[in-house]
Amino acid sequence: MGRKPLPSRRRRSVHVEKIVGWESYPKGRGHTVSGDVRVFRKLHSPQLGNYRDILVYLPPSYAASQKRYPVLYMHDGQNIFDEATSYVGEWHVDEIMEDLAKEGLEALVVGIPNAGVRRLDEYSPFEDSEYGGGEGEAYLRFLLEAVKPLIDRDFRTLPRREHTFVMGSSMGGLISLYAFFRHPEVFGGAGVMSPSLWFGDRRVFDYVEATPFVPGRLYMDVGYKESTLSHVSSRRYLADVRRMHRILLRKGYKEGDYLYLEDKRGVHNEADWARRLPGALRFLLGAG
């Protein structure tokens, strides 16, 4: 897979439409956000008993039209737009979406930041014998009962499942895959990047095998050099994702509604997920 340069940070002139409850994302010294990104401060989650900011990227045509748009919900939201808040680098989602808009591909992107030390718990519906987990169901209820209604209320969305997507990497990839099968009435597609299928003692394999086929768009990828913990080698990581790939093929996913990619140079980091993201978004959002 050839390396493509990341999109340049070309700033567009943004007409800021006031939306009650939503602030414009900070720009200037230390921040790297492009385009129109909004913030809802400290949304409460009764499902999880905590609070977090919610981020929304608005496409270039949003302020000048009355169009409605597909919505992509992304986990680890502090890593997707801004270097200042990222863990070890951002995904450049805002710059990538600005460039894809020139191809006629536009969507709202909702960033849901993780809960820090509770990230592993929230991103797995399965409890792991060593690392915890098991709050994935509550996290998805938060997304479905608090976040999505807020977005559909305050922005011009296309709220039906065929226009609603979920995406993440690593543990975010695990919960995205689970969400696609667990809530087919909500999600019409999922982007599953470098999923941590080992977490929860690999129970996700039995879950996906036992769950009925869900129509929609499914993207999954993995790098040859992925490893997240000392006891999960890159060879085992790759083997796990290939095993899930075979399960998905047996379930009936095929070219047109399913895109699977192996990145020979891919490691487990934001830079490689950002590099693969344009192709994944073209596929998920209907342009590739």
Side-chain angles (χ1 to χ4, degrees):
M1 176 177 174
R3 181 177 292 274
K4 294 183 179 179
L6 290 173
S8 59
R9 295 189 178 280
R10 293 186 294 274
R11 305 280 183 180
R12 62 175 160 102
S13 177
V14 177
H15 169 70
V16 178
E17 172 188 341
K18 186 169 178 58
I19 301 171
V20 176
W22 294 84
E23 305 171 10
S24 293
Y25 192 90
K27 291 188 176 180
R29 189 179 184 89
H31 294 289
T32 60
V33 167
S34 296
D36 189 354
V37 176
R38 307 295 178 94
V39 189
F40 190 99
R41 300 290 184 186
K42 294 186 177 180
L43 179 65
H44 179 237
S45 170
Q47 301 84 0
L48 296 162
N50 54 25
Y51 296 79
R52 74 197 76 196
D53 294 349
I54 302 297
L55 314 175
V56 178
Y57 163 87
L58 300 179
S61 69
Y62 189 90
S65 76
Q66 289 302 310
K67 288 172 56 179
R68 291 185 173 271
Y69 298 84
V71 183
L72 172 65
Y73 293 89
M74 295 189 70
H75 314 294
D76 291 314
Q78 62 265 64
N79 291 340
I80 66 175
F81 299 130
D82 192 358
E83 193 78 23
T85 60
S86 67
Y87 174 54
V88 287
E90 59 150 315
W91 283 45
H92 302 277
V93 172
D94 43 350
E95 288 85 19
I96 289 169
M97 291 302 299
E98 293 281 289
D99 278 4
L100 291 178
K102 298 180 179 68
E103 304 174 15
L105 187 63
E106 292 189 303
L108 274 72
V109 181
V110 179
I112 308 163
N114 68 53
V117 295
R118 291 179 60 182
R119 178 177 182 269
L120 295 181
D121 295 330
E122 292 188 358
Y123 286 1
S124 177
F126 313 106
E127 188 171 350
D128 188 270
S129 57
E130 186 172 355
Y131 294 101
E135 293 185 4
E137 291 281 356
Y139 173 75
L140 290 180
R141 289 201 307 275
F142 167 59
L143 200 163
L144 271 55
E145 297 169 8
V147 179
K148 188 177 188 300
L150 177 71
I151 300 301
D152 289 338
R153 182 195 74 188
D154 290 349
F155 299 95
R156 297 192 309 275
T157 69
L158 293 166
R160 296 177 61 177
R161 73 174 299 272
E162 58 265 34
H163 305 293
T164 304
F165 306 90
V166 61
M167 188 175 207
S169 65
S170 190
M171 290 296 295
L174 173 65
I175 195 65
S176 295
L177 180 66
Y178 181 82
F180 179 70
F181 286 102
R182 179 68 177 84
H183 291 286
E185 77 285 3
V186 176
F187 298 112
V192 182
M193 288 184 143
S194 306
S196 294
L197 303 174
W198 59 271
F199 197 92
D201 303 315
R202 296 181 168 82
R203 290 201 294 279
V204 68
F205 291 104
D206 289 340
Y207 177 80
V208 172
E209 281 197 295
T211 304
F213 177 89
V214 174
R217 290 203 156 197
L218 190 55
Y219 170 91
M220 187 169 69
D221 69 21
V222 66
Y224 275 25
K225 302 175 183 178
E226 306 246 14
S227 181
T228 56
L229 295 167
S230 59
H231 68 281
V232 183
S233 68
S234 57
R235 180 175 296 182
R236 183 62 190 270
Y237 208 98
L238 179 61
D240 279 345
V241 178
R242 285 176 171 175
R243 176 184 170 190
M244 182 59 72
H245 173 55
R246 293 192 296 271
I247 290 171
L248 294 172
L249 292 177
R250 289 198 299 270
K251 291 184 78 69
Y253 292 95
K254 56 185 183 299
E255 185 176 355
D257 54 25
Y258 175 49
L259 179 61
Y260 174 70
L261 183 144
E262 292 184 1
D263 183 354
K264 292 184 178 179
R265 294 181 295 106
V267 297
H268 201 81
N269 64 28
E270 280 72 13
D272 277 5
W273 297 324
R275 178 167 53 83
R276 300 197 295 261
L277 186 60
L281 292 179
R282 287 188 183 98
F283 173 77
L284 276 181
L285 300 175

